[in-house]
């Protein structure tokens, strides 16, 4: 980014963040569902789930964090879609500002707001008994992976908002993302699943991401899952970014 783009993007990020701070129910709503799921799985179903010798909340937390992010990016799609349909999109483009800053402002706002939601969920998990022996480098690695996941899914949200005809259509893409953790190692070990389900669960992106975060938080050696997780995230990010920019250029050219 040039200094001009950075300056314009920072102003637009401030605008988006002010919208969020004036409507904190967005962050609260995004965090309530994952927290409710965490409470239900730990205190209602956790006693019947065999997930190793450790605390179940330690096993569960990585998957809950991914659900939190998947829920949050739906609001990113809504905010961008509303900008495009309310007329503010055209007004921005009539002003002497960098055109790419309009999209980057929504992407950076998504990173910040989802980071806040994830932090709230981790705090609740700590109250519920979650503990981690991970050191500073392991925690930084977890933050980096979650940021990369958020960035990849946010560009999917941008693509959905640019292609949608209605607000409901802009958020529909997030439902499969929220459902994917249920067919992965997020809640139970995959070796308890029937063979076809297990094959899908072990080869979809959520399992490698969850396993990597779980190992880092447990202070255990990270297996080859980390490279698979990074490949999935970078691949999704690259494809979503390229398609979003193509859709954006067509949108502003029309």
């Amino acid at each position: 980014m040039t200094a001009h783009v950075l300056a314009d993007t920072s102003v637009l990020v401030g605008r988006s963040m002010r919208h969020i701070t004036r409507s904190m129910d967005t962050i609260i709503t995004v965090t309530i569902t994952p927290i409710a799921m965490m409470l239900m799985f730990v205190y209602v179903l956790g006693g019947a789930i065999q997930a190793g010798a450790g605390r179940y909340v330690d096993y569960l937390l990585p998957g809950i964090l991914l659900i939190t992010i998947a829920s949050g990016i739906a609001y990113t799609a809504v905010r961008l879609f509303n900008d495009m349909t309310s007329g503010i999109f055209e007004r921005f483009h009539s002003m002497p500002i960098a055109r790419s800053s309009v999209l980057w402002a929504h992407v950076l706002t998504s990173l910040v707001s989802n980071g806040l939601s994830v932090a709230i969920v981790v705090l609740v998990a700590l109250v519920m008994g979650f503990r981690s022996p991970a050191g500073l480098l392991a925690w930084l690695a977890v933050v980096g992976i979650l940021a990369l996941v958020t960035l990849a899914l946010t560009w999917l949200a941008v693509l959905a908002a640019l292609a949608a005809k209605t607000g409901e259509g802009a958020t529909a893409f997030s439902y499969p993302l929220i459902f994917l953790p249920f067919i992965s190692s997020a809640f139970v070990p995959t070796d308890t699943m029937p063979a076809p389900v297990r094959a899908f669960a072990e080869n979809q992106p959520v399992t490698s991401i969850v396993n990597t975060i779980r190992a880092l938080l447990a202070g255990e050696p990270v297996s080859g899952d980390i490279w698979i997780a990074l490949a999935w995230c970078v691949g999704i990010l690259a494809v979503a970014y390229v398609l979003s920019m193509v859709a954006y250029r067509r949108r502003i050219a029309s």
Side-chain angles (χ1 to χ4, degrees), residues 3 19 24 32 36 38 42 46 51 72-73 75-76 78 89-90 97 121 147 150 156 159 174 200 219 251 253:
H19 287 174
M24 284 300 291
I32 281 178
M38 188 163 59
V42 171
I73 60 167
Y75 283 89
T76 301
V78 170
F89 198 69
E90 286 76 12
I97 62 175
V121 172
T150 305
L156 278 180
L159 179 60
S174 66
F200 175 81
R251 183 94 185 192

Side-chain angles (χ1 to χ4, degrees), residues 30 94 102 180 197 204 232:
V30 167
S94 69
V102 177
L180 272 181
V197 180
Q204 59 117 324
W232 272 112

Side-chain angles (χ1 to χ4, degrees), residues 168-187:
E168 291 77 10
T171 59
F173 80 100
S174 66
Y175 300 139
L177 300 179
I178 295 173
F179 185 70
L180 272 181
F182 291 94
I183 315 175
S184 73
S185 64
F187 300 106

Side-chain angles (χ1 to χ4, degrees), residues 2 4 23-24 28 70 78 93 102 128 154 157 160 166 173 186 203 244 248 251:
T2 65
H4 174 52
S23 178
M24 284 300 291
I28 293 173
V78 170
H93 286 162
V102 177
M128 294 172 63
T154 296
T166 64
F173 80 100
N203 292 284
S244 295
Y248 184 57
R251 183 94 185 192

Side-chain angles (χ1 to χ4, degrees), residues 35-215:
I35 288 173
M37 291 177 61
M38 188 163 59
L39 291 169
M40 183 184 69
F41 271 93
V42 171
Y43 295 124
V44 179
L45 304 176
I49 297 176
Q50 299 299 322
R55 291 178 294 265
Y56 183 58
V57 66
D58 295 352
Y59 183 91
L60 181 69
L61 183 60
I64 293 295
L65 296 180
L66 293 192
I67 289 178
T68 305
I69 294 170
S71 301
I73 60 167
Y75 283 89
T76 301
V78 170
R79 288 193 292 269
L80 178 57
F81 182 81
N82 288 340
D83 274 358
M84 289 190 302
T85 55
S86 65
I88 195 69
F89 198 69
E90 286 76 12
R91 184 175 180 183
F92 283 149
H93 286 162
S94 69
M95 300 168 68
I97 62 175
R99 293 189 170 186
S100 61
S101 62
V102 177
L103 288 188
W104 275 108
H106 283 283
V107 171
L108 296 178
T109 300
S110 176
L111 282 172
V112 174
S113 60
N114 279 293
L116 291 172
S117 298
V118 165
I120 293 172
V121 172
V122 172
L123 288 175
V124 174
L126 287 169
V127 173
M128 294 172 63
F130 166 72
R131 297 293 181 271
S132 169
L136 177 61
L137 289 179
W139 271 104
L140 289 176
V142 170
V143 171
I145 291 171
L146 291 175
L148 185 58
V149 170
T150 305
L151 196 59
L153 296 186
T154 296
W155 278 106
L156 278 180
V158 170
L159 179 60
L162 290 170
K165 302 297 183 185
T166 64
E168 291 77 10
T171 59
F173 80 100
S174 66
Y175 300 139
L177 300 179
I178 295 173
F179 185 70
L180 272 181
F182 291 94
I183 315 175
S184 73
S185 64
F187 300 106
V188 296
T190 56
D191 55 12
T192 63
M193 301 176 182
V197 180
R198 178 180 178 182
F200 175 81
E202 292 183 344
N203 292 284
Q204 59 117 324
V206 171
T207 293
S208 57
I209 297 170
V210 163
N211 289 348
T212 299
I213 295 174
R214 186 178 291 139

